Amino acid sequence: MEALDAKGIDVLRVAYPDLMGSDRSRDILLHHLPHAAGHGLAFSRAVYHTGALGDHSDIAGGLDAGMPDILARPDLDTVIPLPWEPNVAWCIGDVIDPATGQSVPESPRDLLRRVLARLNREGLTAIVGPELEYVLLEPDTDAPTAWRRYAPEPGNVYTTGRKSDPDGHLLRTVRALHALGLDVSGGNREFDGGQFEINLNHSEALNAADRAFRFKAAVKELARAEGRLATFMAKPFNDGGGSGFHLHVSVVDGDGTNVFDAPNEAHGLSAMARHALAGVLAHAPALSALLNPTVNSYKRFGPDTTAPWLINWGLDNRNAMVRIPPERGAASRLEVRLGDATANPYLAIAGLLAAVHLGITAAAEPPAPATGHAADTNTAAKLPADLGQALDALQADDQLTDALGKSFVDAFLTFKRDELARFHKYVTDWEFREYAQIN
């Protein structure tokens, strides 16, 4: 409290991720911090079961139990001043069940901790580098969605400056994220109109997930301050591309040595790297539910897109689901290109690392790498084609379900199947255009 007071901080914002990866939070005055740190801040557990528009799913421990409390205690190691909110600091809350004193199954941050503990018991530490894309939108009352792309001119992929960013959005955002301490390395305009990518440096997995969670919340907040909307939707427009969430993954031992590197083995990859890769490929259908968690996610896939649609891997091949970048030594890693930007960073990284651990434990071997367009359906199976198939794959993957915990998986499946059911009942504009004038 003294350190924060010395910086002029009088409000602490305590935020934690829900199942969607959205930030749920409360602002407290600094004098209330001892109570928050000791007792915790009370929220309804049903918040975990609440969708983007307020719909509730009937998940055990929520509505059926009378919407009991959960407690969010500020993780004081994560306190950082908010550069754009004077006198406010921001921290991540750890959520517990006051009845048991333990974490709740729906807590994404604790799920990742449990997965990491499995690797840690074998003397291994996961290193993750997140890459996230988003599309910046401006209000437009004449547009069907009331939003249009910011700076929509085509052909500006991998550019910076006023040509592709006339209002300097990217520069402001990168500087603000740097001031926030998120360890960003830089950014650029991406392929689609109004689309940007900002890269986060690699770090230990929990820290990487924390920074990705904060990155998404911060980018959206900064866009709101501009009167704009930053959307991490997988595919926001029919005539545009999608936004990905690529994860660069490596594993180090107790000495900090990258155990994926093996200069004298095929492709410079160790047996552990091959096993980890095989685990990701084996569990890819189930992972789709976590890394592509919305109905919209699956409209980003297909052979005519740059998003993966087959379960394969390749050497420095961006058409493959898993790319092995050309660097070796300490930079040896897998780039898993399956995810889209709607994924909850904690759940995406937890699922991915659970699959890595399963592959290492099983000493599994991957198939031969894909080449060229990486589109041979004779040698690689297709990923799930929609959210329903992905949820079925997750439910059927007993190994991954055991690694993630049955209570979490049951809650996640119920939550997402409710979302899918709402979609199937909803009449879309495509249906009206297609069928309204049929005789």
Side-chain angles (χ1 to χ4, degrees):
M1 287 177 66
E2 291 175 358
L4 292 174
D5 184 61
K7 295 178 181 178
I9 301 296
D10 66 349
V11 170
L12 185 66
R13 178 165 297 168
V14 183
Y16 62 94
D18 64 10
L19 280 176
M20 297 177 291
S22 298
D23 56 317
R24 305 285 179 169
S25 59
R26 181 170 299 156
D27 287 348
I28 62 170
L29 293 169
L30 187 59
H31 69 78
H32 193 62
L33 179 55
H35 176 80
H39 177 271
L41 303 173
F43 292 80
S44 168
R45 184 172 171 182
V47 167
Y48 277 124
H49 315 152
T50 303
L53 297 180
D55 300 278
H56 284 274
S57 295
D58 190 10
I59 295 172
L63 295 176
D64 67 318
M67 296 187 290
D69 274 355
I70 52 174
L71 297 176
R73 289 178 178 157
D75 179 349
L76 298 180
D77 289 333
T78 68
V79 175
I80 47 178
L82 270 176
W84 56 87
E85 288 282 8
N87 311 113
V88 178
W90 186 20
C91 77
I92 298 175
D94 280 323
V95 176
I96 63 165
D97 181 346
T100 64
Q102 305 297 314
S103 64
V104 293
E106 302 96 319
S107 169
R109 200 169 188 238
D110 285 302
L111 172 64
L112 178 54
R113 284 191 174 115
R114 291 194 294 273
V115 171
L116 294 177
R118 291 172 175 248
L119 285 166
N120 295 158
R121 284 194 289 269
E122 298 181 23
L124 301 174
T125 299
I127 306 297
V128 176
E131 285 184 13
L132 275 155
E133 297 171 337
Y134 64 95
V135 177
L136 187 66
L137 306 176
E138 295 184 310
D140 183 355
T141 56
D142 293 329
T145 60
W147 297 95
R148 66 169 183 269
R149 296 177 183 89
Y150 163 77
E153 292 76 17
N156 284 326
V157 62
Y158 294 154
T159 61
T160 56
R162 302 297 165 148
K163 174 185 177 184
S164 55
D165 182 14
D167 190 44
H169 161 83
L170 180 63
L171 285 175
R172 283 194 302 274
T173 303
V174 168
R175 285 171 174 150
L177 297 176
H178 173 70
L180 189 60
L182 294 191
D183 196 13
V184 298
S185 59
N188 56 264
R189 166 75 179 269
E190 258 296 335
F191 186 84
D192 199 23
Q195 187 180 51
F196 296 91
E197 177 177 285
I198 297 176
N199 299 127
L200 300 171
N201 282 321
H202 59 275
S203 65
E204 292 189 14
L206 181 60
N207 177 267
D210 283 344
R211 288 185 296 121
F213 164 64
R214 289 178 135 166
F215 167 87
K216 293 178 73 174
V219 166
K220 288 186 282 189
E221 190 75 354
L222 290 165
R224 291 184 190 109
E226 298 176 359
R228 297 179 172 118
L229 170 67
T231 179
F232 290 89
M233 188 174 174
K235 186 178 171 65
F237 295 101
N238 283 313
D239 61 347
S243 290
F245 183 11
H246 300 168
L247 291 165
H248 294 251
V249 178
S250 60
V251 176
V252 299
D253 62 17
D255 297 324
T257 301
N258 188 326
V259 297
F260 283 180
D261 181 52
N264 298 321
E265 297 191 37
H267 311 306
L269 299 175
S270 68
M272 191 172 289
R274 298 195 310 272
H275 302 334
L277 170 60
V280 173
L281 297 175
H283 298 282
L287 289 176
S288 295
L290 300 173
L291 277 80
N292 309 112
T294 70
V295 170
N296 178 256
S297 295
Y298 297 83
K299 297 177 181 179
R300 171 176 163 264
F301 290 153
D304 58 342
T305 71
T306 56
W309 59 287
L310 296 179
I311 303 171
N312 55 16
W313 71 283
L315 297 164
D316 197 13
N317 190 329
R318 286 180 169 81
N319 294 319
M321 190 194 86
V322 181
R323 170 181 173 254
I324 307 297
E327 297 92 345
R328 293 295 180 268
S332 299
R333 63 194 188 277
L334 316 179
E335 181 192 358
V336 181
R337 301 171 60 81
L338 173 61
D340 69 68
T342 52
N344 180 329
Y346 296 98
L347 302 187
I349 294 173
L352 182 56
L353 294 180
V356 164
H357 182 255
L358 288 169
I360 291 172
T361 302
E365 291 289 340
T371 58
H373 291 294
D376 186 354
T377 55
N378 294 314
T379 58
K382 292 182 181 179
L383 286 161
D386 57 48
L387 180 59
Q389 290 183 18
L391 295 175
D392 290 344
L394 176 59
Q395 183 173 19
D397 192 327
D398 293 335
Q399 288 185 319
L400 193 66
T401 295
D402 288 344
L404 297 177
K406 187 175 186 302
S407 295
F408 162 75
V409 173
D410 286 348
F412 181 81
L413 289 174
T414 299
F415 184 71
K416 283 294 166 181
R417 285 192 167 129
D418 281 357
E419 180 181 322
L420 187 59
R422 292 196 303 273
F423 170 74
H424 283 316
K425 293 178 181 178
Y426 188 80
V427 179
T428 66
D429 58 349
W430 182 91
E431 291 168 279
F432 186 86
R433 288 197 309 270
E434 190 80 3
Y435 305 128
Q437 299 190 50
I438 291 178
N439 293 329

